[in-house]
Amino acid sequence: MSSTGATDPLAALGTLPGVAESVESVRKAVDRVYGHRIMRRRSNEITSEAALRGARGSAALSGADWALEEVRRRTDFSGEDEARTVGAALRLTAEAGQLLSIWRQSPLRVLARLHLVAAADSGLGVGRPRQDGELVDEPLVGLPLPGAAEVSGRLEGLSELIVAGGSAPALVTAAVVHGELLALRPFTSHNGLVARAAQRIVLVGSGLDPKAVCSAEVGHAELGRAAYAAALDGYASGTPEGMAVWIAHCAKAVELGARESTAVCEALQRGAA
């Protein structure tokens, strides 16, 4: 991410034009879900459904755009490339909840674990940042690929910001973590899946979405791959305007995820009536 010269650059991003409005809009959307009467009695069901839909959305952004019912029905994800992508997304969604307590102390350890879970037995380079000369499989992201030294330095900087904490809204921190990992593509594969899982960890661990019912992955998929890539270009530009566009895009994704879970609540309520 670009430096603003501030002691807390993440907090400084929260002052960009339109960001405060995005933060407030997300808070209201999340509050609507958590205030639903079904959440008081059946929140575990909403969390499980949001996890499934979030994994489906993340896989769709990585090129495996399966129908939700197909993801729900399938038990074997070891076959073709798309099946492996969906399986990786499901594993990451399950794993993210186990890493919340580690994230604030050792984010780089968490990222390595996420890649290990996603890539499984893909071969060399699993669970560690890529080295110079290693190829990266991430077709959605067309940005120039940073070298290994730049990746290492920027990952360390991101880790320091997370460990230090600060006053930045959770939405802003989640957007920066997500955008930085996509721009860097620190691993040889599955960078998009890992970036979206890390965003989930920030949103849940921050307390904004403690029950993980507002899947930003759902919203990103609904907004589409083209819009996702265009917003990422804004992040990669490092300009205030570009960063604000990316944060707004991430905010809209969270709102759409919240809307999806609200619809699930409504469906359960109708079924119980």
Side-chain angles (χ1 to χ4, degrees):
M1 61 174 291
S2 63
S3 172
T4 62
T7 302
D8 184 352
L10 294 181
L13 292 175
T15 67
L16 292 175
V19 171
E21 290 80 0
S22 292
V23 169
E24 179 63 14
S25 183
V26 165
R27 186 191 64 78
K28 289 178 178 177
V30 173
D31 285 349
R32 279 194 293 273
V33 180
Y34 279 84
H36 199 286
R37 58 185 295 186
I38 289 293
M39 280 294 293
R40 294 194 290 271
R41 297 184 286 113
R42 303 173 69 176
S43 63
N44 288 342
E45 293 176 63
I46 308 303
T47 295
S48 295
E49 187 64 20
L52 183 71
R53 293 175 185 231
R56 192 218 73 82
S58 191
L61 289 167
S62 288
D65 193 359
W66 286 15
L68 179 63
E69 291 311 312
E70 176 65 10
V71 178
R72 198 189 304 279
R73 179 192 67 81
R74 183 76 73 98
T75 57
D76 181 9
F77 297 95
S78 61
E80 69 276 17
D81 287 346
E82 286 194 6
R84 289 197 294 271
T85 296
V86 175
L90 289 166
R91 291 193 302 273
L92 281 175
T93 299
E95 186 72 14
Q98 310 302 313
L99 299 172
L100 295 172
S101 62
I102 305 172
W103 174 255
R104 284 296 298 271
Q105 286 74 43
S106 185
L108 297 185
R109 178 182 164 196
V110 169
L111 293 175
R113 174 61 185 170
L114 289 173
H115 187 249
L116 183 64
V117 168
D121 48 3
S122 296
L124 296 176
V126 174
R128 64 156 174 80
R130 58 183 169 81
Q131 300 170 358
D132 280 330
E134 290 184 318
L135 299 177
V136 174
D137 180 15
E138 198 65 51
L140 175 62
V141 182
L143 299 170
L145 191 67
E150 181 180 351
V151 168
S152 177
R154 287 172 63 174
L155 283 179
E156 286 292 341
L158 182 64
S159 176
E160 289 171 4
L161 287 174
I162 293 165
V163 171
S167 59
L171 171 69
V172 172
T173 302
V176 167
V177 167
H178 186 173
E180 191 73 350
L181 292 174
L182 280 177
L184 292 177
R185 284 145 291 162
F187 303 108
T188 56
S189 64
H190 299 87
N191 290 286
L193 294 177
V194 168
R196 292 183 288 274
Q199 176 185 246
R200 170 181 285 264
I201 288 172
V202 175
L203 293 173
V204 174
S206 67
L208 176 63
D209 180 23
K211 295 184 183 293
V213 298
C214 303
S215 295
E217 303 96 320
V218 168
H220 284 301
E222 184 173 338
L223 291 168
R225 297 178 76 188
Y228 188 64
L232 178 62
D233 286 344
Y235 177 88
S237 74
T239 65
E241 296 79 10
M243 297 292 286
V245 165
W246 172 248
I247 294 169
H249 186 85
C250 290
K252 184 63 176 177
V254 177
E255 290 182 51
L256 290 171
R259 187 182 71 179
E260 181 97 348
S261 284
T262 301
V264 172
C265 287
E266 293 292 334
L268 288 174
Q269 183 168 279
R270 287 193 298 272

mmCIF file with all atom_site columns, all heavy atoms in Angstrom, residues 16 35 46 77 82 98 106 163 199 206 270:
data_model
loop_
_atom_site.group_PDB
_atom_site.id
_atom_site.type_symbol
_atom_site.label_atom_id
_atom_site.label_alt_id
_atom_site.label_comp_id
_atom_site.label_asym_id
_atom_site.label_entity_id
_atom_site.label_seq_id
_atom_site.pdbx_PDB_ins_code
_atom_site.Cartn_x
_atom_site.Cartn_y
_atom_site.Cartn_z
_atom_site.occupancy
_atom_site.B_iso_or_equiv
_atom_site.pdbx_formal_charge
_atom_site.auth_seq_id
_atom_site.auth_comp_id
_atom_site.auth_asym_id
_atom_site.auth_atom_id
_atom_site.pdbx_PDB_model_num
ATOM 1  N N   . LEU A 1 16  ? -10.205 9.328   3.768   1.00 0.00 ? 16  LEU A N   1
ATOM 2  C CA  . LEU A 1 16  ? -10.347 9.613   2.342   1.00 0.00 ? 16  LEU A CA  1
ATOM 3  C C   . LEU A 1 16  ? -11.807 9.919   2.011   1.00 0.00 ? 16  LEU A C   1
ATOM 4  O O   . LEU A 1 16  ? -12.720 9.413   2.666   1.00 0.00 ? 16  LEU A O   1
ATOM 5  C CB  . LEU A 1 16  ? -9.869  8.422   1.513   1.00 0.00 ? 16  LEU A CB  1
ATOM 6  C CG  . LEU A 1 16  ? -8.374  8.105   1.552   1.00 0.00 ? 16  LEU A CG  1
ATOM 7  C CD1 . LEU A 1 16  ? -8.089  6.826   0.779   1.00 0.00 ? 16  LEU A CD1 1
ATOM 8  C CD2 . LEU A 1 16  ? -7.559  9.261   0.985   1.00 0.00 ? 16  LEU A CD2 1
ATOM 9  N N   . GLY A 1 35  ? -29.696 -7.865  13.922  1.00 0.00 ? 35  GLY A N   1
ATOM 10 C CA  . GLY A 1 35  ? -30.938 -7.527  14.616  1.00 0.00 ? 35  GLY A CA  1
ATOM 11 C C   . GLY A 1 35  ? -32.124 -8.376  14.209  1.00 0.00 ? 35  GLY A C   1
ATOM 12 O O   . GLY A 1 35  ? -33.213 -8.242  14.784  1.00 0.00 ? 35  GLY A O   1
ATOM 13 N N   . ILE A 1 46  ? -27.307 -19.702 10.132  1.00 0.00 ? 46  ILE A N   1
ATOM 14 C CA  . ILE A 1 46  ? -26.966 -18.581 9.235   1.00 0.00 ? 46  ILE A CA  1
ATOM 15 C C   . ILE A 1 46  ? -25.462 -18.559 8.986   1.00 0.00 ? 46  ILE A C   1
ATOM 16 O O   . ILE A 1 46  ? -25.007 -18.337 7.856   1.00 0.00 ? 46  ILE A O   1
ATOM 17 C CB  . ILE A 1 46  ? -27.430 -17.241 9.837   1.00 0.00 ? 46  ILE A CB  1
ATOM 18 C CG1 . ILE A 1 46  ? -28.899 -17.290 10.228  1.00 0.00 ? 46  ILE A CG1 1
ATOM 19 C CG2 . ILE A 1 46  ? -27.180 -16.108 8.846   1.00 0.00 ? 46  ILE A CG2 1
ATOM 20 C CD1 . ILE A 1 46  ? -29.833 -17.640 9.090   1.00 0.00 ? 46  ILE A CD1 1
ATOM 21 N N   . PHE A 1 77  ? -13.951 -33.281 -4.260  1.00 0.00 ? 77  PHE A N   1
ATOM 22 C CA  . PHE A 1 77  ? -13.405 -32.094 -4.926  1.00 0.00 ? 77  PHE A CA  1
ATOM 23 C C   . PHE A 1 77  ? -11.976 -32.346 -5.407  1.00 0.00 ? 77  PHE A C   1
ATOM 24 O O   . PHE A 1 77  ? -11.185 -31.421 -5.524  1.00 0.00 ? 77  PHE A O   1
ATOM 25 C CB  . PHE A 1 77  ? -13.431 -30.896 -3.970  1.00 0.00 ? 77  PHE A CB  1
ATOM 26 C CG  . PHE A 1 77  ? -14.805 -30.489 -3.547  1.00 0.00 ? 77  PHE A CG  1
ATOM 27 C CD1 . PHE A 1 77  ? -15.341 -30.966 -2.361  1.00 0.00 ? 77  PHE A CD1 1
ATOM 28 C CD2 . PHE A 1 77  ? -15.583 -29.667 -4.347  1.00 0.00 ? 77  PHE A CD2 1
ATOM 29 C CE1 . PHE A 1 77  ? -16.627 -30.602 -1.965  1.00 0.00 ? 77  PHE A CE1 1
ATOM 30 C CE2 . PHE A 1 77  ? -16.866 -29.306 -3.967  1.00 0.00 ? 77  PHE A CE2 1
ATOM 31 C CZ  . PHE A 1 77  ? -17.386 -29.778 -2.765  1.00 0.00 ? 77  PHE A CZ  1
ATOM 32 N N   . GLU A 1 82  ? -11.513 -27.047 -11.643 1.00 0.00 ? 82  GLU A N   1
ATOM 33 C CA  . GLU A 1 82  ? -12.562 -26.274 -10.989 1.00 0.00 ? 82  GLU A CA  1
ATOM 34 C C   . GLU A 1 82  ? -12.985 -26.920 -9.673  1.00 0.00 ? 82  GLU A C   1
ATOM 35 O O   . GLU A 1 82  ? -13.229 -26.221 -8.685  1.00 0.00 ? 82  GLU A O   1
ATOM 36 C CB  . GLU A 1 82  ? -13.763 -26.117 -11.916 1.00 0.00 ? 82  GLU A CB  1
ATOM 37 C CG  . GLU A 1 82  ? -13.538 -25.121 -13.039 1.00 0.00 ? 82  GLU A CG  1
ATOM 38 C CD  . GLU A 1 82  ? -14.826 -24.733 -13.737 1.00 0.00 ? 82  GLU A CD  1
ATOM 39 O OE1 . GLU A 1 82  ? -15.916 -25.157 -13.277 1.00 0.00 ? 82  GLU A OE1 1
ATOM 40 O OE2 . GLU A 1 82  ? -14.757 -23.988 -14.734 1.00 0.00 ? 82  GLU A OE2 1
ATOM 41 N N   . GLN A 1 98  ? -10.430 -20.902 12.623  1.00 0.00 ? 98  GLN A N   1
ATOM 42 C CA  . GLN A 1 98  ? -9.503  -21.482 13.594  1.00 0.00 ? 98  GLN A CA  1
ATOM 43 C C   . GLN A 1 98  ? -8.264  -20.604 13.810  1.00 0.00 ? 98  GLN A C   1
ATOM 44 O O   . GLN A 1 98  ? -7.455  -20.895 14.699  1.00 0.00 ? 98  GLN A O   1
ATOM 45 C CB  . GLN A 1 98  ? -9.051  -22.876 13.118  1.00 0.00 ? 98  GLN A CB  1
ATOM 46 C CG  . GLN A 1 98  ? -10.177 -23.811 12.716  1.00 0.00 ? 98  GLN A CG  1
ATOM 47 C CD  . GLN A 1 98  ? -11.164 -24.044 13.837  1.00 0.00 ? 98  GLN A CD  1
ATOM 48 O OE1 . GLN A 1 98  ? -10.766 -24.309 14.975  1.00 0.00 ? 98  GLN A OE1 1
ATOM 49 N NE2 . GLN A 1 98  ? -12.440 -23.932 13.523  1.00 0.00 ? 98  GLN A NE2 1
ATOM 50 N N   . SER A 1 106 ? 0.580   -12.946 14.733  1.00 0.00 ? 106 SER A N   1
ATOM 51 C CA  . SER A 1 106 ? 1.468   -13.468 13.700  1.00 0.00 ? 106 SER A CA  1
ATOM 52 C C   . SER A 1 106 ? 0.733   -13.627 12.368  1.00 0.00 ? 106 SER A C   1
ATOM 53 O O   . SER A 1 106 ? 0.454   -14.746 11.931  1.00 0.00 ? 106 SER A O   1
ATOM 54 C CB  . SER A 1 106 ? 2.053   -14.815 14.145  1.00 0.00 ? 106 SER A CB  1
ATOM 55 O OG  . SER A 1 106 ? 3.005   -15.280 13.219  1.00 0.00 ? 106 SER A OG  1
ATOM 56 N N   . VAL A 1 163 ? -0.098  -6.065  13.621  1.00 0.00 ? 163 VAL A N   1
ATOM 57 C CA  . VAL A 1 163 ? 0.317   -6.346  15.002  1.00 0.00 ? 163 VAL A CA  1
ATOM 58 C C   . VAL A 1 163 ? 0.228   -5.083  15.859  1.00 0.00 ? 163 VAL A C   1
ATOM 59 O O   . VAL A 1 163 ? -0.182  -5.130  17.023  1.00 0.00 ? 163 VAL A O   1
ATOM 60 C CB  . VAL A 1 163 ? 1.744   -6.922  15.028  1.00 0.00 ? 163 VAL A CB  1
ATOM 61 C CG1 . VAL A 1 163 ? 2.263   -7.020  16.455  1.00 0.00 ? 163 VAL A CG1 1
ATOM 62 C CG2 . VAL A 1 163 ? 1.773   -8.296  14.362  1.00 0.00 ? 163 VAL A CG2 1
ATOM 63 N N   . GLN A 1 199 ? -9.282  -11.455 4.388   1.00 0.00 ? 199 GLN A N   1
ATOM 64 C CA  . GLN A 1 199 ? -10.282 -10.407 4.595   1.00 0.00 ? 199 GLN A CA  1
ATOM 65 C C   . GLN A 1 199 ? -11.352 -10.884 5.574   1.00 0.00 ? 199 GLN A C   1
ATOM 66 O O   . GLN A 1 199 ? -11.761 -10.142 6.471   1.00 0.00 ? 199 GLN A O   1
ATOM 67 C CB  . GLN A 1 199 ? -10.939 -10.032 3.266   1.00 0.00 ? 199 GLN A CB  1
ATOM 68 C CG  . GLN A 1 199 ? -12.063 -9.021  3.400   1.00 0.00 ? 199 GLN A CG  1
ATOM 69 C CD  . GLN A 1 199 ? -12.769 -8.757  2.085   1.00 0.00 ? 199 GLN A CD  1
ATOM 70 O OE1 . GLN A 1 199 ? -12.702 -7.665  1.541   1.00 0.00 ? 199 GLN A OE1 1
ATOM 71 N NE2 . GLN A 1 199 ? -13.454 -9.757  1.560   1.00 0.00 ? 199 GLN A NE2 1
ATOM 72 N N   . SER A 1 206 ? -12.206 -8.591  14.076  1.00 0.00 ? 206 SER A N   1
ATOM 73 C CA  . SER A 1 206 ? -12.339 -7.204  14.538  1.00 0.00 ? 206 SER A CA  1
ATOM 74 C C   . SER A 1 206 ? -13.606 -6.982  15.355  1.00 0.00 ? 206 SER A C   1
ATOM 75 O O   . SER A 1 206 ? -13.748 -5.969  16.037  1.00 0.00 ? 206 SER A O   1
ATOM 76 C CB  . SER A 1 206 ? -12.379 -6.266  13.339  1.00 0.00 ? 206 SER A CB  1
ATOM 77 O OG  . SER A 1 206 ? -13.571 -6.483  12.589  1.00 0.00 ? 206 SER A OG  1
ATOM 78 N N   . ARG A 1 270 ? -39.961 -17.528 7.186   1.00 0.00 ? 270 ARG A N   1
ATOM 79 C CA  . ARG A 1 270 ? -41.177 -17.947 6.480   1.00 0.00 ? 270 ARG A CA  1
ATOM 80 C C   . ARG A 1 270 ? -41.428 -19.444 6.671   1.00 0.00 ? 270 ARG A C   1
ATOM 81 O O   . ARG A 1 270 ? -42.572 -19.883 6.835   1.00 0.00 ? 270 ARG A O   1
ATOM 82 C CB  . ARG A 1 270 ? -41.053 -17.634 4.983   1.00 0.00 ? 270 ARG A CB  1
ATOM 83 C CG  . ARG A 1 270 ? -41.171 -16.152 4.655   1.00 0.00 ? 270 ARG A CG  1
ATOM 84 C CD  . ARG A 1 270 ? -41.358 -15.952 3.179   1.00 0.00 ? 270 ARG A CD  1
ATOM 85 N NE  . ARG A 1 270 ? -40.220 -16.443 2.404   1.00 0.00 ? 270 ARG A NE  1
ATOM 86 C CZ  . ARG A 1 270 ? -39.145 -15.716 2.104   1.00 0.00 ? 270 ARG A CZ  1
ATOM 87 N NH1 . ARG A 1 270 ? -39.045 -14.454 2.535   1.00 0.00 ? 270 ARG A NH1 1
ATOM 88 N NH2 . ARG A 1 270 ? -38.162 -16.232 1.386   1.00 0.00 ? 270 ARG A NH2 1
#
